[in-house]
Amino acid sequence: MEEQIIFENRIFCFTGEFENYTRDELFNLVVKYGGLPAEKMTLDVHYLIYGSVPNPHFKYGAFGNKYKTAHEMLASKIGNIIGIFPEDIFLSSLENTTLNANRLLIKSDSLKLLKRISPGKPRMKRSEILLRPLDASNYDWSFYVPNCFNEELDIRQTIRTDPVKDANGDIVKKANGKPKTIQRLVWTQGNFFTFQKGDTIYDTSLAYQEWGHALKHIKRMITIKYAQPVEFEEWQNKRSPGEVIFSLTIFQNGELKESENKTLTQDEFVKYLIDG
């Protein structure tokens, strides 16, 4: 078995009860570090992680039938199984794993991608390059758009299926001659933007601190008054760019000055968030 658990592109199954985490929290940790969770032990699973809390209803102390199945698969060298580990090894491996950090994303990078995907093809393939990184502090847009706006930016997780390759880069095949594949869960970018009425966006991340403190740092605030999302018009086989009507409030010398309403398409509004 591998001494260090590898998370990137690996599938994890869990059994038993864990001391400090619920099953959903464990699934989220796996996804955060580039893996994919599985509810059941299948031939695709790479790791079985078992909890440390004993349960009298389990056949094997702290875990159940998944443990027996994984042991049999490991002994028989069936499937993708790499190892069976207790929760403390799983958690220590998390501590020793560095999250993939995106480089600083500058405005021009985002604008180039926006130009490429928007208006784009009506049914474009979702891009694994994002308009702005999930590390919402690592980019220099004119406005701060936190992860709670992922849906509005059409950023979401997608399951991708890739062929398994050996150390030489050759595709590994099954006994029937078909390529062996692995699924991975990745963040992807589309071009169906959905900013909506009531959305409020500030020019600084400090706006999300205690309000009295935040007011000392906010210089600009966008308030959306009306919006129509980007939509696909089946009958014309084209993408409708939507609409956003918003006001811009300027904070200056303790005074607030709200501009007249501006009207942009959803595409133009995203460009405005990037470039100002």
Side-chain angles (χ1 to χ4, degrees), residues 213-235:
H213 177 72
L215 282 173
K216 299 176 183 178
H217 301 278
I218 299 171
K219 295 180 180 178
R220 294 175 298 163
M221 177 182 74
I222 287 173
T223 305
I224 297 180
K225 305 295 184 68
Y226 171 84
Q228 284 288 335
V230 172
E231 295 178 334
F232 179 67
E233 297 178 350
E234 296 280 357
W235 64 284

Side-chain angles (χ1 to χ4, degrees), residues 3 10 13 28 59 64-65 82 87 94 102 104 114 124 130 161 170-171 188 213 227 230 250 263 266 273 275:
E3 295 182 1
R10 299 295 169 89
C13 187
N28 288 335
K59 291 183 179 180
N65 286 325
I82 294 172
E87 67 173 292
L94 282 177
N102 290 309
L104 176 64
L114 181 63
M124 61 164 281
L130 307 183
T161 302
D170 297 323
I171 295 177
T188 59
H213 177 72
V230 172
I250 306 295
T263 302
Q266 290 272 353
L273 294 175
D275 208 24

Side-chain angles (χ1 to χ4, degrees), residues 12 105 214 223:
F12 290 75
L105 185 67
T223 305

Side-chain angles (χ1 to χ4, degrees), residues 208-266:
Y208 295 89
Q209 297 185 4
E210 191 274 327
W211 187 242
H213 177 72
L215 282 173
K216 299 176 183 178
H217 301 278
I218 299 171
K219 295 180 180 178
R220 294 175 298 163
M221 177 182 74
I222 287 173
T223 305
I224 297 180
K225 305 295 184 68
Y226 171 84
Q228 284 288 335
V230 172
E231 295 178 334
F232 179 67
E233 297 178 350
E234 296 280 357
W235 64 284
Q236 288 188 320
N237 192 34
K238 74 173 186 178
R239 173 181 175 274
S240 172
E243 183 180 52
V244 178
I245 299 176
F246 67 97
S247 65
L248 177 67
T249 301
I250 306 295
F251 294 71
Q252 191 171 23
N253 299 324
E255 296 182 358
L256 305 182
K257 182 179 179 181
E258 185 174 1
S259 69
E260 294 182 359
N261 290 345
K262 297 183 179 181
T263 302
L264 300 174
T265 66
Q266 290 272 353

Side-chain angles (χ1 to χ4, degrees), residues 25 122 137 242:
E25 288 171 337
S137 64

